[in-house]
Amino acid sequence: MKPKVLLNSAMTVDGKIATKTGSSEISGHGDLLRVHRLRKEVDAIMVGINTVMADDPRLTVHKISSKPEDNPVRVVVDSKARTPLNFRIINSEAPTIIAVSTEAPLERIKLLESTENVEIVVCGDKQVDLNCLMERLGEKGIKTLMLEGGSTLNYSMLHEGLVSEVNLCIAPMIAGGTHSKTLVDGDGVDYMKDAFRLKFKKSYTLGEDLIVCYDVL
Ligand SMILES: NC(=O)c1ccc[n+]([C@@H]2O[C@H](COP(=O)([O-])OP(=O)(O)OC[C@H]3O[C@@H](n4cnc5c(N)ncnc54)[C@H](OP(=O)(O)O)[C@@H]3O)[C@@H](O)[C@H]2O)c1
């Protein structure tokens, strides 16, 4: 069975999740703690390769008290196996699955597989086939997954109908910028009647940030 996916993101009031320079420090302290509590609860965290390249994230539980076994499996969607060997996403803190397509060069796959914690999953011919990936993660016992962006992967996951919940942290900032990343980029829908529909669940404040939680219909 495919995992249940929660899309979690921090954005400005104008929906930006990063500026054109890649700067993405948006969440306040309270929200960072909320995200790490969520990481502790889920079986896996997933990001796109551009997020790895921009932020070099660890994607571990380290802002709250935790044990090594609290770390979820890290999943990188990376068609061409570009994940750099010296990036923190493949450090020894947690297992990492790198999802590639058949376009990934064999030598890159071998290099990544030679590191201690990395498992390669091949799904799709050009880009990663996300339905295939979710099936494969389900077979590995992953029941819950937190999607932590970026914009392109968020769009594809919504487009494929693979997201069931959305949690947003809206920080009191406005960034602007045509080339800034928004919560969801990609092709987008042509008409609002075709927009992905959400059902409001709850909202609350954490310091100056507003947290809003939805179900995807
Ligand atoms: N504020 C926040 O909460 C937050 C959270 C996360 C990220 N961010 C920001 O978001 C920015 C990155 O976002 P992004 O949109 O550029 O990239 P992204 O979503 O992180 O990664 C997109 C890349 O994933 C790969 N991919 C493979 N298969 C895919 C598929 N089926 N669908 C979609 N992508 C697929 C593609 O590269 P290949 O073709 O090479 O595989 C694609 O270009 C960064 O600046 C980061 O800081 C902010």
Side-chain angles (χ1 to χ4, degrees), residues 154-198:
N154 287 348
Y155 176 76
S156 296
M157 287 289 289
L158 281 163
H159 184 255
E160 293 302 317
L162 294 168
V163 179
S164 49
E165 285 176 61
V166 175
N167 280 8
L168 298 177
C169 162
I170 304 171
M173 309 177 189
I174 294 177
T178 315
H179 300 294
S180 307
K181 296 281 172 187
T182 54
L183 172 65
V184 173
D185 288 330
D187 289 341
V189 298
D190 288 333
Y191 301 101
M192 277 302 170
K193 68 176 176 51
D194 300 322
F196 309 116
R197 307 307 286 221
L198 308 176

Side-chain angles (χ1 to χ4, degrees), residues 15-16 34 86 122 125 132 143 152 176 196:
K16 308 294 185 190
R34 178 188 69 84
N86 59 344
V122 185
D125 294 330
C132 161
K143 294 188 175 65
T152 312
F196 309 116

Side-chain angles (χ1 to χ4, degrees), residues 94-119:
T96 301
I97 293 174
I98 301 187
V100 303
S101 74
T102 53
E103 287 208 341
L106 204 57
E107 61 274 19
R108 284 295 309 162
I109 291 183
K110 280 189 184 152
L111 268 178
L112 285 165
E113 272 179 336
S114 70
T115 65
E116 206 182 329
N117 295 297
V118 171
E119 184 185 347

Side-chain angles (χ1 to χ4, degrees), residues 8-11 16-19 21-27 47-52 54-55 77-82 99 126-130 148-157 160 181-182 185:
N8 185 80
S9 193
M11 64 181 211
K16 308 294 185 190
I17 65 165
T19 65
T21 65
S23 163
S24 62
E25 300 79 19
I26 295 171
S27 293
V47 293
I49 181 62
N50 293 353
T51 295
V52 170
D55 301 344
V77 178
D78 177 15
S79 317
K80 301 177 195 72
R82 292 190 285 133
K126 283 202 155 150
Q127 289 223 301
V128 173
D129 178 332
L130 297 170
E148 289 202 39
S151 331
T152 312
L153 186 60
N154 287 348
Y155 176 76
S156 296
M157 287 289 289
E160 293 302 317
K181 296 281 172 187
T182 54
D185 288 330

Side-chain angles (χ1 to χ4, degrees), residues 67-82:
K67 301 186 281 297
E69 57 269 29
D70 293 327
N71 286 325
V73 173
R74 301 173 289 193
V75 181
V76 185
V77 178
D78 177 15
S79 317
K80 301 177 195 72
R82 292 190 285 133

Side-chain angles (χ1 to χ4, degrees), residues 25-69:
E25 300 79 19
I26 295 171
S27 293
H29 181 66
D31 186 55
L32 291 174
L33 298 183
R34 178 188 69 84
V35 171
H36 282 247
R37 280 194 291 272
L38 275 173
R39 286 184 179 178
K40 201 169 173 175
E41 280 172 23
V42 294
D43 298 323
I45 308 180
M46 186 167 86
V47 293
I49 181 62
N50 293 353
T51 295
V52 170
M53 293 303 203
D55 301 344
D56 189 13
R58 284 160 76 185
L59 296 188
T60 53
V61 184
H62 55 266
K63 291 197 188 297
I64 57 173
S65 135
S66 66
K67 301 186 281 297
E69 57 269 29

